[in-house]
Amino acid sequence: MHYLWSGLLYSFAQPAMILILPRIAAKAGQPALYSTFYICILAGIILGALIAGKMKARIITVGWAWTISAIPLILMLFSLKNMVLLCILLFLFGPATSIHNVLAESVIQTSTADNYLGRVLTTIRTFANIGGPVSSVVSGIILDHVGEKFIIVLCASLIIIGGTNILLAIPKKTN
């Protein structure tokens, strides 16, 4: 249940972040940077998937990877004019995101009974798809009225809340 709500928060953050990238590239006077931003994120995601394949799927790892994925976003607040640093931060956002996605999926698959797995994964994906359209509209309005930094702070906050929520799902040890 923790993952469901965290995934919903993340589904709002991800499209909002994607929405600001063309604006940042246009403000830099280099629209081609938009593609570069995506390439950096994609390269990071691929690296993260390779790393996640070597890791043990545990809730604590998912929670920390989820929470840590907000760090590059927070650092972006101070580098919106430095495109090289921004590309590096977008690359670093990729592995943390990929690690928590891959490991969370593994935790779900190993902890859910086979006869419920399809229903659980479908429910999680349905919730995760809710955020995209809603977030795109709301983020567009926010972007036009408040700006990129507010969106970054909002996204980082949603990701931190989601990661903390996952960490709260760690079973308590009893004596």
Side-chain angles (χ1 to χ4, degrees), residues 100-175:
H100 79 68
N101 281 333
V102 169
L103 295 181
E105 196 79 19
S106 295
V107 168
I108 291 165
Q109 289 176 4
T110 58
S111 63
T112 305
D114 288 342
N115 56 328
Y116 291 107
L117 186 58
R119 292 178 214 139
V120 168
L121 291 175
T122 300
T123 301
I124 288 170
R125 287 196 179 96
T126 300
F127 265 70
N129 288 329
I130 290 171
V134 174
S135 177
S136 295
V137 172
V138 172
S139 298
I141 294 167
I142 292 171
L143 185 60
D144 286 342
H145 291 81
V146 184
E148 297 88 6
K149 287 187 177 185
F150 184 82
I151 299 261
I152 293 170
V153 168
L154 181 63
C155 291
S157 299
L158 291 173
I159 290 170
I160 290 169
I161 292 167
T164 303
N165 186 44
I166 294 291
L167 290 170
L168 292 173
I170 298 171
K172 306 290 186 254
K173 291 184 181 181
T174 57
N175 293 336

Side-chain angles (χ1 to χ4, degrees), residues 14-135:
Q14 184 181 20
M17 282 305 301
I18 298 301
L19 190 66
I20 69 169
L21 296 179
R23 172 83 58 101
I24 292 170
K27 278 187 172 182
Q30 301 174 11
L33 275 174
Y34 183 51
S35 297
T36 305
F37 293 156
Y38 276 114
I39 290 169
C40 291
I41 293 170
L42 180 61
I45 288 171
I46 292 169
L47 176 63
L50 293 171
I51 292 169
K54 308 273 187 225
M55 298 175 75
K56 185 174 180 179
R58 297 180 345 185
I59 296 170
I60 191 167
T61 310
V62 173
W64 280 113
W66 196 300
T67 305
I68 288 169
S69 70
I71 293 172
L73 301 185
I74 294 166
L75 294 174
M76 282 175 61
L77 292 169
F78 309 103
S79 62
L80 289 175
K81 302 225 186 268
N82 183 335
M83 295 304 116
V84 172
L85 184 55
L86 186 61
C87 285
I88 291 168
L89 292 171
L90 289 169
F91 170 78
L92 293 174
F93 180 69
T97 301
S98 184
I99 288 169
H100 79 68
N101 281 333
V102 169
L103 295 181
E105 196 79 19
S106 295
V107 168
I108 291 165
Q109 289 176 4
T110 58
S111 63
T112 305
D114 288 342
N115 56 328
Y116 291 107
L117 186 58
R119 292 178 214 139
V120 168
L121 291 175
T122 300
T123 301
I124 288 170
R125 287 196 179 96
T126 300
F127 265 70
N129 288 329
I130 290 171
V134 174
S135 177

